[in-house]
Amino acid sequence: MTAAEVDLAVDWAAAEGWNPGLADAACFRAEDAGGFLMAFLDGEPAAAISVISYGASFGFLGFYICRPDLRGRGIGYRLWQAGMARLGDRVVGLDGVVDQQDNYRRSGFEFAYRNIRQSGLPAVEKPDDGRLVRIGPALTDAVIAYDRPFFPAPRDKFLQCWLNGDTRTGWTLLEEGRITGYGVVRACRDGAKIGPLFADDADRADLLFRQLVASMPGVTVALDTPEPNADAVALARRYGLTPVFETARMYRGRAPELPLSKLFGVTTFELG
């Protein structure tokens, strides 16, 4: 896709209620400029998919959508096949709607766990803690190094964009020169989303969550919590967030071993 075609597909996603971030696509394109594919029918855009390659070993599939008036004609599936062919023999992840699990299994994907979207209007006071430092260019490399165990492959270009965008605000916990957690909050078409939110333990995640919410006061906030991390789910409930949606994290190939106990909020490019 061209940048304009990506914008069109983001409008499709918004019409479906996916509520994309205001500038999400640019960061995924920074990681893999060729990772957005579009199908055309009679010269008109018909379907879209993202198949972002993170190096030679891992890819993530999402943003899979067909124009409503063209569904049921096999256009989306042909685009899916093209996307999977582009990713080749990489391990591939996706976050898909739960009722599509059987379809994904037929394409070689296996269920790993659920991500639960929690949403609400939390009332928090801005923390007063000297360990909280806003992420800027001087901290970017250190945050990228901290992020590395939490994702199946390096994603430096994505993070260089994600950590420094005008529509996003990132905070880290810096303790004796060592990062012990970080999170990013971003403006969306409706409210805001927090993600990622990674921390060494639940108390640090709580502190970061309050700082991120306080950075965008008075708006509805969403947090995608991995269900295996009971502390992440408890964090969302503690501040009045309630489940509004869930997705199935699935992988084709061997599922990566991630420190789920430290994953309190994840970020992917909308739905598989």
Side-chain angles (χ1 to χ4, degrees), residues 13-264:
E16 295 285 333
W18 293 1
N19 193 29
L22 297 184
D24 287 3
C27 293
F28 291 92
R29 292 186 82 224
E31 185 68 43
D32 181 5
F36 289 84
L37 307 183
M38 180 166 274
F40 292 81
L41 181 66
D42 297 329
E44 295 296 324
I49 197 169
S50 63
V51 281
I52 306 301
S53 172
Y54 296 91
S57 62
F58 185 71
F60 204 93
L61 183 151
F63 203 45
Y64 182 38
I65 185 170
C66 185
R67 250 175 51 193
D69 60 311
L70 296 176
R71 291 172 185 170
R73 302 174 61 173
I75 298 169
Y77 182 61
R78 290 178 67 183
L79 184 60
W80 167 283
Q81 291 175 307
M84 292 300 293
R86 183 178 190 272
L87 292 176
D89 60 0
R90 294 173 175 85
V91 174
V92 181
L94 63 79
D95 284 329
V97 292
V98 175
D99 62 4
Q100 291 294 319
Q101 284 186 42
D102 288 342
N103 287 334
Y104 298 138
R105 284 193 177 96
R106 283 193 284 272
S107 292
F109 287 82
E110 292 296 331
F111 177 85
Y113 55 87
R114 295 193 304 165
N115 287 317
I116 304 172
R117 178 160 296 172
Q118 319 268 3
S119 182
L121 188 60
V124 303
E125 293 186 4
K126 185 175 181 179
D128 182 13
D129 193 310
R131 296 174 297 169
L132 289 163
V133 181
R134 183 163 178 174
I135 298 171
L139 277 174
T140 297
D141 287 347
V143 174
I144 289 173
Y146 180 82
D147 180 89
R148 182 65 193 88
F150 297 99
F151 196 75
R155 52 176 180 172
D156 296 18
K157 293 178 181 178
F158 166 80
L159 287 170
Q160 286 163 0
C161 173
W162 197 256
L163 297 173
N164 297 292
D166 293 338
T167 62
R168 292 174 295 275
T169 303
W171 289 84
T172 186
L173 276 170
L174 196 61
E175 302 182 46
E176 298 180 352
R178 184 175 69 89
I179 291 176
T180 58
Y182 89 95
V184 177
V185 62
R186 70 194 191 274
C188 299
R189 296 199 177 193
D190 180 16
K193 291 179 185 174
I194 291 174
L197 177 56
F198 303 152
D200 285 5
D201 56 45
D203 289 340
R204 290 179 170 89
D206 185 288
L207 179 61
L208 282 163
F209 176 84
R210 287 183 280 130
Q211 179 64 42
L212 293 165
V213 171
S215 300
M216 286 193 174
V219 302
T220 300
V221 172
L223 177 70
D224 290 345
T225 55
E227 189 179 39
N229 185 348
D231 287 334
V233 176
L235 168 65
R237 304 291 172 82
R238 186 160 57 248
Y239 292 103
L241 305 188
T242 56
V244 295
F245 195 74
E246 66 180 63
T247 57
R249 172 60 60 90
M250 304 183 76
Y251 293 101
R252 185 199 69 177
R254 183 177 180 178
E257 296 182 6
L258 303 176
L260 292 175
S261 65
K262 298 181 180 182
L263 272 69
F264 291 84

